[in-house]
Amino acid sequence: AQKVTQAQTEISVVEKEDVTLDCVYETRDTTYYLFWYKQPPSGELVFLIRRNSFDEQNEISGRYSWNFQKSTSSFNFTITASQVVDSAVYFCALKGSNYQLIWGAGTKLIIKP
Amino acid sequence: KAGVTQTPRYLIKTRGQQVTLSCSPISGHRSVSWYQQTPGQGLQFLFEYFSETQRNKGNFPGRFSGRQFSNSRSEMNVSTLELGDSALYLCASSQADAWVETQYFGPGTRLLVL
């Protein structure tokens, strides 16, 4: 069975703090894809990043960075110097051999000014 | 390029009625997937269409159905609405093979069943 766990239901930090959102996944597939999406209050899911199971290279995009570790089945997301506009619900998702996106429960991130 | 569009954005129905939601994918995208999002169950996959054929289906009852037209636009239909069908319905499109392609989402349709 495939599963994505985002243990942090809600995180609240003050602007400019760094924050890490955790994602742990379970799959028996050797080939799979991992994703992060952001959902602002408007409701639209915004794509942030995609990683395949053979690419463990970490990625940095501006203030965002992702740490993929197959050994611990984790794909964590860090926002550096957080801003109020980063406030949203963030979802981690897994796509394996069943061709379906399996979603985590999401982490609500609140950035206080 | 215009993004994924969904109509209507908001809808109120009563139990027992049926509803049709529409999704227009990004130009050039041929795969359309539908998801249901509720506070209790989170995001769940409904089905995926590619070239007018349903290619994948989630674990939802037969009251939930969909179709795709030759221009890749898709509709989903829910018959005999139940209170539990109140949700945000999200449509996502991808270029070809939804297995390897990233899906891009529309703003969703918020359905309230009274």
Side-chain angles (χ1 to χ4, degrees):
Chain A
Q2 300 187 37
K3 187 179 177 182
V4 176
T5 302
Q6 294 181 257
Q8 303 151 310
T9 304
E10 184 174 304
I11 299 175
S12 181
V13 300
V14 177
E15 199 172 21
K16 296 182 184 174
E17 285 187 23
D18 298 348
V19 58
T20 295
L21 310 181
D22 298 332
C23 173
V24 174
Y25 62 92
E26 296 176 27
T27 181
R28 293 179 180 174
D29 294 328
T30 54
T31 302
Y32 53 89
Y33 291 84
L34 294 165
F35 300 80
W36 276 95
Y37 283 86
K38 172 183 178 180
Q39 187 175 43
S42 61
E44 182 172 343
L45 282 162
V46 179
F47 166 73
L48 296 176
I49 191 171
R50 181 183 82 174
R51 262 284 174 271
N52 72 52
S53 52
F54 299 108
D55 183 2
E56 287 193 72
Q57 195 170 10
N58 292 331
E59 178 150 341
I60 298 175
S61 176
R63 297 183 296 107
Y64 296 172
S65 63
W66 291 268
N67 179 256
F68 176 27
Q69 292 195 335
K70 284 180 74 171
S71 60
T72 55
S73 297
S74 65
F75 187 40
N76 296 337
F77 173 33
T78 297
I79 301 175
T80 303
S82 60
Q83 300 176 2
V84 173
V85 293
D86 296 326
S87 296
V89 180
Y90 290 84
F91 290 93
C92 179
L94 164 72
K95 186 183 291 185
S97 59
N98 67 356
Y99 291 67
Q100 297 179 17
L101 268 175
I102 306 301
W103 299 85
T107 297
K108 183 176 183 179
L109 178 61
I110 300 170
I111 310 296
K112 299 176 185 176
Chain B
K1 262 187 187 177
V4 178
T5 58
Q6 292 186 246
T7 57
R9 293 293 311 278
Y10 304 92
L11 208 47
I12 300 175
K13 292 285 187 179
T14 56
R15 277 182 299 174
Q17 286 187 311
Q18 76 165 23
V19 66
T20 299
L21 311 182
S22 181
C23 171
S24 292
I26 292 171
S27 177
H29 285 195
R30 295 168 60 193
S31 169
V32 173
S33 297
W34 289 89
Y35 297 84
Q36 182 196 64
Q37 185 177 25
T38 60
Q41 299 298 317
L43 277 155
Q44 296 184 92
F45 171 75
L46 280 156
F47 30 64
E48 184 223 346
Y49 286 87
F50 179 78
S51 292
E52 302 178 63
T53 301
Q54 187 181 88
R55 192 161 62 172
N56 204 353
K57 189 177 187 303
N59 189 26
F60 277 81
R63 300 186 297 107
F64 292 82
S65 63
R67 59 178 176 168
Q68 186 180 34
F69 303 95
S70 57
N71 62 357
S72 294
R73 190 178 70 84
S74 176
E75 289 181 347
M76 69 162 280
N77 184 277
V78 188
S79 63
T80 319
L81 284 166
E82 300 177 0
L83 295 180
D85 296 333
S86 294
L88 177 66
Y89 290 88
L90 292 159
C91 166
S93 74
S94 60
Q95 282 190 324
D97 190 340
W99 157 240
V100 295
E101 296 287 342
T102 296
Q103 294 180 351
Y104 295 91
F105 285 79
T109 294
R110 291 191 183 273
L111 172 64
L112 177 61
V113 182
L114 301 174

